[in-house]
Amino acid sequence: MPLTIAICDDNKAQIKELNRLLEKWSADKPLDLNIDEYISAESFLFGYADKPCDILLLDIEMSGINGMELARKLRANGDMLPIVFITGYSDYISEGYDVEALHYLIKPVNESKFFAVLDKFTQRNTVSEQIILPCGSETLRISPERITYVEAQGRRTAVHFSGGQMFDCNMSISRFEDMVIHGFVHCHRSYLVNLRYVRSITKTDIILDNNTTVPISRRLYNEVNTQFIKFYTGEK
């Protein structure tokens, strides 16, 4: 199973230690582990656009944009990237709840607690469903949970991500729909939307968490509305 973990910390020694722990944790697991390192929130925001990750290990006390500010920026864009705060301070725990952090670990990181957090994350199968997108001269492996909506552009599609990124892909929207990805609904002949990011539905539009508006056809309104309710109530 492929898994990309990003570490964002302005302490190189801490990054090295987290790398050591991750390698130890993954040694006996069927994982294709990739670790991306960032020395600041600014460098993460710059790199994240082209190098999506499955989970972020984030320090809080950093120069420039601190970790909590970075988390708020992601959430403001509707990006629900799983975040584990790793810090030397306990003062921010309540703020961690505000940005829906996955967990909060105090430095020095306790190995057993760290491993337990990672085990719980992988057991939830949040990264087990991956798809391959042919985009220009490269091929991307991504988690569909990070896609907010897909827009048809002739024989190509524009795939929009929760962080605000957009990739122009060499595939039709019907081919994307054939992947049968849970949580996506056809709301218009030219649009597929991820119900995870839908804030509200009107007769003419779908409004996403980041305030993006996606059109909905009159013919599909009842079906989309039904699927939206089922998705959040757990009905079959």
Side-chain angles (χ1 to χ4, degrees):
M1 180 177 71
L3 177 66
T4 298
I5 297 179
I7 302 172
C8 185
D9 196 307
D10 60 358
N11 185 319
K12 292 184 179 180
Q14 179 64 23
I15 291 178
K16 183 178 180 179
E17 172 62 9
L18 289 175
N19 265 283
R20 184 189 70 80
L21 290 172
L22 287 170
E23 289 173 5
K24 183 176 181 180
W25 168 75
S26 63
D28 61 348
K29 293 179 172 57
L31 293 173
D32 179 12
L33 181 63
N34 179 57
I35 303 172
D36 294 328
E37 302 173 4
Y38 300 94
I39 202 69
S40 67
E42 290 85 349
S43 64
F44 173 80
L45 288 170
F46 181 80
Y48 183 52
D50 298 315
K51 297 178 67 178
C53 60
D54 299 303
I55 185 171
L56 172 61
L57 307 181
L58 180 60
D59 186 24
I60 293 180
E61 290 291 329
M62 296 187 291
S63 57
I65 300 174
N66 68 35
M68 195 60 66
E69 291 169 338
L70 170 59
R72 290 198 179 100
K73 284 179 179 290
L74 292 173
R75 298 301 186 247
N77 288 327
D79 193 328
M80 297 310 294
L81 171 68
I83 296 172
V84 176
F85 284 120
I86 299 179
T87 181
Y89 301 88
S90 59
D91 303 344
Y92 296 95
I93 291 180
S94 60
E95 293 184 61
Y97 293 127
D98 293 340
V99 295
E100 299 182 56
L102 184 67
H103 210 86
Y104 196 110
L105 295 173
I106 300 294
K107 298 177 183 177
V109 176
N110 178 281
E111 180 179 298
S112 61
K113 290 182 179 179
F114 184 49
F115 288 5
V117 170
L118 296 173
D119 286 340
K120 183 178 180 181
F121 173 75
T122 55
Q123 287 165 9
R124 285 171 51 197
N125 297 318
T126 54
V127 296
S128 60
E129 184 182 33
Q130 301 281 315
I131 60 174
I132 299 296
L133 298 180
C135 299
S137 60
E138 61 180 338
T139 300
L140 301 178
R141 173 190 62 79
I142 61 96
S143 169
E145 291 187 1
R146 294 194 55 238
I147 299 172
T148 53
Y149 70 100
V150 179
E151 178 183 1
Q153 295 181 341
R155 295 183 178 180
R156 306 172 69 85
T157 57
V159 180
H160 299 261
F161 287 81
S162 55
Q165 313 98 313
M166 187 277 287
F167 288 97
D168 180 24
C169 296
N170 316 323
M171 59 188 294
S172 66
I173 196 168
S174 60
R175 182 179 167 193
F176 188 97
E177 191 174 18
D178 286 343
M179 293 178 182
V180 192
I181 303 169
H182 175 65
F184 283 77
V185 63
H186 212 153
C187 61
H188 183 281
R189 62 178 181 153
S190 299
Y191 291 87
L192 282 169
V193 68
N194 189 341
L195 292 171
R196 296 170 181 83
Y197 296 95
V198 174
R199 186 173 69 205
S200 61
I201 300 175
T202 72
K203 293 289 185 179
T204 58
D205 298 293
I206 292 175
I207 297 87
L208 305 184
D209 290 333
N210 62 4
N211 293 320
T212 297
T213 299
V214 177
I216 183 171
S217 71
R218 186 179 305 173
R219 176 179 61 86
L220 293 173
Y221 170 78
N222 287 335
E223 174 63 19
V224 172
N225 200 47
T226 298
Q227 291 302 318
F228 178 60
I229 293 170
K230 286 183 176 180
F231 185 81
Y232 283 100
T233 59
E235 293 181 33
K236 301 296 184 183

